[in-house]
Amino acid sequence: MNFEKLKNLIIYQIYPSSFKDSNNDGWGDLKGIISKLDYLKDLGINAIWLSPIYKSPMNDMGYDISDYYEINPKFGTMEDFDKLLEEAKKRNIGIIMDLVVNHTSTEHKWFKEAKKDLNSKYRDYYFIKEGKGKNKELPPNNWDSCFAGSAWEKLDGHEGFYYMHLFEKTQADLNFNNEEVVKEVENILEFYLKKGVIGFRCDVISNIYKESLNDGKKRLYLTGREHYLSRPNVHNILKRFKENVLDKYDAFMVGETSFVTRDEAKLYLDEFDMVFEFEHASADQNTLVPAIKRKYKPKNLIEPFKVWQKEVKWNSLYLENHDQHRSLSRFGDSKKYNFLSATALASIIFTLKGTPFIYQGQEIGMLDYPYKIGPSNTKDCCVPTVYETVRKLHFPKKIALDFANNVCRDHARSPMQWDDRENSGFNEGNPTWLPVNECYKNGVNVSENLANPCSILNFYKKLIKIRKDFEAFKTGEVEFININKNVLSFYRILNDEKYLVMINLCNKTINTPFRNIKHDLVLSNYTDVSLNILKPYMSIITKLK
Ligand code: NOJ
């Protein structure tokens, strides 16, 4: 996308199942989204990334698509989607679709055709192979699924045959060596761009090209990855998408580059506007196995942000999404410093260089749903396999449950909290697909946030306004200042304007070297500000004179 347009984007991620339920069936829907466009406009965002709304059996909550050209009836119809596009456009809000093409659902007609007849052309749309061993009792290779367990599943009705799934077993991987698959994806892109969407968030894009199906080097996690993670040919495919379709529409593209190294992730900036990298998002995770927690330290959040700011011209700025636990629960202190830590975190993504993304509910300080997940009380398909895999390795139940809880994504997917009515105003009171987080009764809801001038939501609005009003926060240089390992601090400089940003990400008071400096305060989450002292979770944005 043209940089003049790109630099102004402020994107809000909607997780459709949990945003707003207009017909009281317990699931969010497109009409619900339409009814909240004015809220989003007022918040100040100008684009929505919609997690998948296509037809899907919902084993992986829509990331298992059974028809790219139909809307999931749970969410509405294609007419509702057209209406959403129209209503969003009236408000200058662009719609970004989720492009999930590493795999389709096994309910997709291509897979069904392949399964019906192994001689059909659709067999080669996927990886359907004979097993190894005397009786073909072993999968074709030793690769792991990213959701744990083998990446191969027996193909029903075809003794000795398996299909590959790098994610859940109902998500069969597409074969991008097949020219027709590449063409099919171009058609999908073109279909939605013609309708008027402004771009795509590309799901696990770094996995789509499988270079070979050889056995991988045995690893603790993701065995096989050297054969499919970010192989050079993925870039040729993406360049084709760009040249054949995306450039014609000046489409916005963000790629999810999971599991790859920083240098590999950076390569996608040739074809995409930005990527979702995971370095800062691992601040409380073991770097080798993300399912294992490590103690959160602010410097593990700050350092990756700094590195990416220095190394690339532009990138995404996000703190949470539908796959990660809530940032306030992970990196903040909701018990003692709820407003302060939520707003300090928010200050990062609106003052650094790049495109800010807000995940629904982040702007009101939504917290992780506080339940203990087990393999049978979750809606997240990866939990049971992770649990079983850990148990098979002979770890005790308690450890397997801890792992399951750490990876479980239900915590951040509970319904959006609109007000203090039953079910937080998400719907009219019917049971919701995931329970509502009770914290909506304690002020964590949109309506109370709107009414309180000193709320997290109103702070987000102010940050968004700063982003819009001050060009320096879009295109100004970023120059880092070292104050303390728990403080993210930098100047934004544009021509003769210089802004100082200091964000204290810990609960201690920290002295700064800034004394007797003339400045005009732009925004702080404290009312009493002096530049030489950073109180717990204090954020200061100021213009130097
Ligand atoms: C990444 C998506 O964000 C996640 O929700 C999904 O489970 C996997 N990709 C597989 O599509």
Side-chain angles (χ1 to χ4, degrees):
M1 175 180 267
N2 172 309
F3 186 69
E4 281 310 299
K5 255 160 64 189
L6 182 74
K7 70 175 193 191
N8 292 316
L9 284 184
I10 295 171
I11 303 180
Y12 188 91
Q13 182 193 354
I14 290 186
Y15 194 66
S17 304
S18 295
F19 190 61
K20 172 74 188 164
D21 173 11
S22 74
N23 59 356
N24 203 22
D25 68 352
W27 292 82
D29 48 48
L30 294 175
K31 287 204 171 98
I33 299 174
I34 296 172
S35 73
K36 294 295 180 186
L37 286 174
D38 286 335
Y39 162 71
L40 295 175
K41 177 83 198 152
D42 179 54
L43 174 60
I45 62 98
N46 48 29
I48 293 170
W49 152 28
L50 263 187
S51 275
I53 52 164
Y54 317 89
K55 194 168 173 206
S56 157
M58 300 289 270
N59 288 324
D60 187 17
M61 294 304 297
Y63 285 88
D64 48 326
I65 297 169
S66 56
D67 192 332
Y68 291 93
Y69 300 99
E70 273 193 45
I71 302 296
N72 186 337
K74 273 196 161 64
F75 299 141
T77 60
M78 195 52 97
E79 285 70 49
D80 295 335
F81 179 62
D82 290 338
K83 183 82 182 155
L84 170 64
L85 279 170
E86 187 190 316
E87 291 297 323
K89 195 165 177 204
K90 278 190 205 157
R91 294 163 176 85
N92 287 322
I93 295 177
I95 301 287
I96 297 161
M97 297 295 270
D98 213 313
L99 184 79
V100 188
V101 292
N102 175 67
H103 42 263
T104 72
S105 161
T106 49
E107 296 289 305
H108 195 287
K109 66 173 186 248
W110 301 333
F111 192 81
K112 286 187 178 162
E113 287 297 321
K115 199 165 109 174
K116 204 156 71 191
D117 174 7
L118 290 187
N119 293 318
S120 118
K121 73 165 189 173
Y122 293 108
R123 172 174 173 185
D124 191 52
Y125 271 40
Y126 297 92
F127 298 95
I128 298 180
K129 304 281 169 204
E130 282 190 281
K132 291 207 280 206
K134 212 160 81 209
N135 300 314
K136 307 195 174 17
E137 71 285 7
L138 299 171
N141 66 30
N142 66 351
W143 296 9
D144 290 332
S145 147
C146 305
F147 284 169
S150 167
W152 295 88
E153 184 71 14
K154 288 189 172 143
L155 186 67
D156 263 3
H158 298 276
E159 194 60 34
F161 282 86
Y162 296 73
Y163 66 90
M164 188 173 68
H165 59 91
L166 283 183
F167 290 88
E168 207 259 338
K169 65 172 188 274
T170 61
Q171 293 167 303
D173 277 53
L174 283 169
N175 173 12
F176 278 85
N177 275 304
N178 181 324
E179 190 51 29
E180 285 187 57
V181 169
V182 180
K183 192 76 205 114
E184 297 276 12
V185 175
E186 289 181 355
N187 292 343
I188 298 166
L189 291 168
E190 185 104 43
F191 177 83
Y192 284 99
L193 287 166
K194 260 200 193 131
K195 273 190 172 290
V197 311
I198 64 162
F200 297 88
R201 173 264 185 188
C202 303
D203 190 60
V204 291
I205 204 68
S206 36
N207 288 31
I208 66 168
Y209 184 73
K210 282 76 184 175
E211 194 172 64
S212 87
L213 294 188
N214 295 339
D215 273 343
K217 184 173 137 213
K218 194 72 199 132
R219 297 172 200 264
L220 205 57
Y221 179 58
L222 295 188
T223 292
R225 66 174 104 148
E226 64 274 30
H227 299 296
Y228 65 78
L229 261 191
S230 240
R231 306 321 302 146
N233 210 21
V234 75
H235 295 286
N236 297 331
I237 296 167
L238 298 180
K239 286 204 170 71
R240 271 187 56 179
F241 293 163
K242 188 167 155 56
E243 278 155 26
N244 294 350
V245 189
L246 303 170
D247 282 352
K248 272 198 299 197
Y249 295 88
D250 193 25
F252 164 82
M253 298 300 281
V254 51
E256 187 199 24
T257 50
S258 339
F259 316 119
V260 305
T261 64
R262 185 184 310 145
D263 285 340
E264 283 166 346
K266 275 158 53 184
L267 294 177
Y268 292 82
L269 298 176
D270 278 353
E271 298 101 25
F272 288 160
D273 298 299
M274 60 194 71
V275 293
F276 287 132
E277 51 82 21
F278 288 83
E279 285 186 66
H280 70 281
S282 316
D284 59 354
Q285 294 168 345
N286 178 294
T287 39
L288 291 178
V289 184
I292 302 176
K293 286 224 170 196
R294 66 169 159 160
K295 190 171 160 17
Y296 164 67
K297 292 196 179 119
K299 80 169 191 331
N300 294 337
L301 186 69
I302 293 172
E303 288 310 313
F305 270 118
K306 281 170 99 170
V307 170
W308 275 85
Q309 291 286 305
K310 288 180 194 155
E311 294 194 9
V312 302
K313 181 168 164 253
W314 195 261
N315 202 18
S316 65
L317 294 166
Y318 76 96
L319 290 166
E320 60 187 71
N321 61 40
H322 65 293
D323 288 334
Q324 295 172 12
H325 289 201
R326 291 282 182 182
S327 57
L328 183 53
S329 301
R330 297 172 75 186
F331 312 135
D333 179 346
S334 61
K335 296 216 168 60
K336 238 175 126 190
Y337 297 105
N338 190 56
F339 168 79
L340 291 169
S341 58
T343 48
L345 287 165
S347 303
I348 304 176
I349 56 170
F350 290 96
T351 53
L352 281 174
K353 173 185 75 173
T355 300
F357 284 77
I358 306 169
Y359 174 54
Q360 64 181 45
Q362 180 184 330
E363 77 277 20
I364 53 168
M366 269 181 74
L367 298 167
D368 273 352
Y369 189 88
Y371 43 22
K372 276 278 168 213
I373 303 282
S376 55
N377 72 341
T378 174
K379 293 281 192 302
D380 184 348
C381 62
C382 75
V383 170
T385 31
V386 168
Y387 179 82
E388 280 155 29
T389 309
V390 179
R391 287 292 285 147
K392 270 191 201 144
L393 293 171
H394 306 294
F395 283 100
K397 269 193 187 153
K398 154 103 183 54
I399 301 226
L401 279 175
D402 278 353
F403 262 69
N405 259 284
N406 294 347
V407 296
C408 179
R409 300 166 299 173
D410 291 348
H411 299 276
R413 294 176 176 180
S414 61
M416 177 74 182
Q417 297 163 199
W418 293 104
D419 51 46
D420 63 0
R421 288 177 304 153
E422 198 180 357
N423 284 348
S424 70
F426 168 70
N427 69 4
E428 294 301 316
N430 269 347
T432 53
W433 77 278
L434 272 182
V436 179
N437 193 328
E438 292 289 305
C439 67
Y440 81 89
K441 294 177 182 158
N442 308 326
V444 187
N445 65 61
V446 169
S447 141
E448 283 181 56
N449 266 257
L450 282 173
N452 171 6
C454 299
S455 66
I456 299 174
L457 175 60
N458 278 314
F459 199 85
Y460 265 83
K461 282 198 193 175
K462 288 178 193 155
L463 283 168
I464 292 174
K465 189 153 181 337
I466 290 173
R467 252 320 266 232
K468 289 187 171 160
D469 292 352
F470 298 81
E471 182 66 23
F473 287 101
K474 293 182 236 181
T475 51
E477 289 297 313
V478 182
E479 209 177 275
F480 288 103
I481 312 158
N482 286 327
I483 294 181
N484 177 291
K485 62 179 187 318
N486 295 320
V487 174
L488 177 63
S489 178
F490 51 91
Y491 298 116
R492 296 292 315 251
I493 307 161
L494 185 69
N495 305 324
D496 52 359
E497 286 185 15
K498 191 167 184 178
Y499 296 82
L500 167 66
V501 179
M502 293 189 283
I503 307 170
N504 181 3
L505 290 165
C506 75
N507 58 9
K508 310 251 169 354
T509 297
I510 289 166
N511 293 322
T512 83
F514 297 106
R515 263 159 236 280
N516 306 324
I517 288 186
K518 287 204 172 138
H519 69 108
D520 274 333
L521 186 68
V522 179
L523 184 65
S524 172
N525 53 2
Y526 277 78
T527 40
D528 182 16
V529 175
S530 80
L531 294 192
N532 60 338
I533 289 186
L534 289 172
K535 294 173 197 151
Y537 294 103
M538 186 174 206
S539 127
I540 299 179
I541 304 167
T542 196
K543 184 171 184 194
L544 301 179
K545 289 206 218 172

